[in-house]
Amino acid sequence: MSMMDKLKQMLKGHEHQASKGVDRGGDAIDDRTQGKYSGHVDTGQDRLKEQLGGDQPGQEQDKPPQP
């Protein structure tokens, strides 16, 4: 069993909380790097949310609109 499968199993039923954690982690990275890599961080956040199942259709996103 891969590590991602173990994570998915542990987070089952808590996808929204995992999604919030991914957002907070990405925001912390953006703060530390002063937004220098924000595009890369956003891409990583989106991919991780997809893998963990936190980006389910019908869920409202808490992201502010991008300028």
Side-chain angles (χ1 to χ4, degrees):
M1 183 179 275
S2 74
M3 187 170 91
M4 188 57 82
D5 291 334
K6 289 180 183 180
L7 282 172
K8 286 180 186 179
Q9 187 178 14
M10 288 174 25
L11 295 172
K12 195 170 206 161
H14 303 283
E15 291 86 2
H16 186 68
Q17 290 176 332
S19 179
K20 281 183 173 181
V22 169
D23 285 336
R24 285 184 179 176
D27 292 344
I29 292 170
D30 279 338
D31 288 344
R32 296 280 295 222
T33 61
Q34 299 171 346
K36 187 175 181 180
Y37 304 103
S38 64
H40 297 288
V41 171
D42 290 342
T43 301
Q45 284 176 313
D46 292 341
R47 289 186 181 176
L48 187 56
K49 285 183 198 177
E50 287 174 12
Q51 287 290 318
L52 295 177
D55 240 0
Q56 298 295 325
Q59 280 188 346
E60 189 153 330
Q61 293 294 319
D62 294 329
K63 282 187 175 180
Q66 298 295 325

